[in-house]
Amino acid sequence: MAAEIGPGGAPVRRFSRMKGRCEGVFWRPFRAEDARRYMRAAERYERDRREAGKRNGPLGPVGLEVLRELVRLVDYRTGRLEPAITTLMGRLKRSRDAICRALANLRRHGFLDWLRRFEPVLAKGEKGPQVRQVTNAYRLSLPPGAERLLALRFLASPPPEDHEHAERAHRAAVKAMIDALPLGEQAAASGATGGLLGALAGLGEGLMKKERESAGRTESHLRNLYNFTGVPNGTSGAT
């Protein structure tokens, strides 16, 4: 484990910063409404980046579990997030190695970052400030690759040609069925409702009435042309 000497000569992990002096520019608010979106992006990234023949993707199931727990623990207003490894182990029932590997995978792929921290303590009988390593400060983030995958989810893919052909055939069959109905029934069969249904049905009935009247006039005219024996008026029955 890489270490360096902190204030007072106590060893701390390399690149550690003093607690209370580094988080202000590191943490940032995390909106509650983004929590589900953030997890959907991570799950999609896990599936999309999984290599052929492998069971898991780059984050792994434990990585997704850890990320989901961090999303639950983050303070939405400030972005404060500083759970201990032992806290995550207890909540997820996972080993320290599994938690540490998951955190490393999340950081490697851009879903998480952290700062190592130390704080000063007063050691009994010692002069000057002593220090001790404390929990990391974590920050959630969404990598551009996952953001793009999330956006692609909402782009509708074009339907296959056989689907379009089936849709056209279905529409043509429905139209033929409706056209074969009496005019007064076509409006209801077409799905019209309310006032529109009444108006279309009335129009259909009107057209049917006109057709019946027209057919009656034609029949009357034909009766006038022929006598009761079936011979046209103005001619004799002799040949």
Side-chain angles (χ1 to χ4, degrees):
M1 179 186 300
E4 57 188 22
I5 304 301
V12 296
R13 297 196 64 182
R14 184 173 297 177
F15 306 121
S16 294
R17 303 186 184 186
M18 184 175 291
K19 181 180 179 180
R21 296 186 181 180
C22 60
E23 303 90 350
V25 295
F26 182 71
W27 282 332
R28 56 195 177 205
F30 186 85
R31 300 188 307 172
E33 57 268 29
D34 285 343
R36 292 182 63 184
R37 176 174 175 271
Y38 187 84
M39 286 308 305
R40 284 200 304 270
E43 290 163 358
R44 190 171 181 84
Y45 184 90
E46 168 75 0
R47 292 192 301 269
D48 185 78
R49 300 298 176 90
R50 182 176 57 195
E51 296 180 9
K54 290 193 175 181
R55 183 176 181 181
N56 300 319
L59 304 180
V62 181
L64 292 177
E65 288 180 16
V66 170
L67 188 61
R68 189 173 291 107
E69 194 61 35
L70 293 176
V71 170
R72 292 192 185 106
L73 293 173
V74 67
D75 184 314
Y76 293 140
R77 185 177 62 85
T78 64
R80 181 177 179 178
L81 184 61
E82 48 185 354
I85 299 294
T86 52
T87 299
L88 295 174
M89 290 168 58
R91 294 173 72 99
L92 299 175
K93 310 302 180 186
R94 296 287 186 176
S95 68
R96 174 177 289 273
D97 285 346
I99 296 294
C100 290
R101 284 196 301 271
L103 291 171
N105 287 338
L106 291 170
R107 189 183 199 187
R108 185 179 304 113
H109 292 276
F111 288 90
L112 186 68
D113 197 7
W114 64 72
L115 293 177
R116 295 192 180 105
R117 300 182 300 171
F118 66 86
E119 66 179 2
V121 294
L122 292 176
K124 187 176 181 179
E126 296 289 339
K127 293 183 179 181
Q130 301 294 308
V131 297
R132 65 180 177 187
Q133 199 79 39
V134 294
T135 60
N136 293 338
Y138 296 96
R139 181 178 66 194
L140 299 169
S141 57
L142 191 60
E147 187 93 45
R148 286 193 296 270
L149 289 173
L150 190 63
L152 289 174
R153 178 176 181 270
F154 297 99
L155 296 178
S157 57
E161 291 186 4
D162 57 344
H163 175 76
E164 293 182 356
H165 176 75
E167 284 290 326
R168 287 195 299 269
H170 175 72
R171 288 194 296 267
V174 171
K175 183 178 184 303
M177 180 190 70
I178 293 174
D179 289 345
L181 294 173
L183 290 175
E185 300 177 13
Q186 290 184 12
S190 298
T193 59
L196 178 60
L197 174 58
L200 292 175
L203 179 60
E205 289 292 346
L207 292 173
M208 291 176 65
K209 182 179 179 181
K210 287 183 179 181
E211 288 181 356
R212 289 194 297 268
E213 292 175 351
S214 176
R217 286 195 297 270
T218 300
E219 183 179 354
S220 177
H221 180 66
L222 289 175
R223 282 200 303 267
N224 291 332
L225 290 177
Y226 290 84
N227 58 24
F228 292 106
T229 60
V231 179
N233 291 335
T235 64
S236 64
T239 58

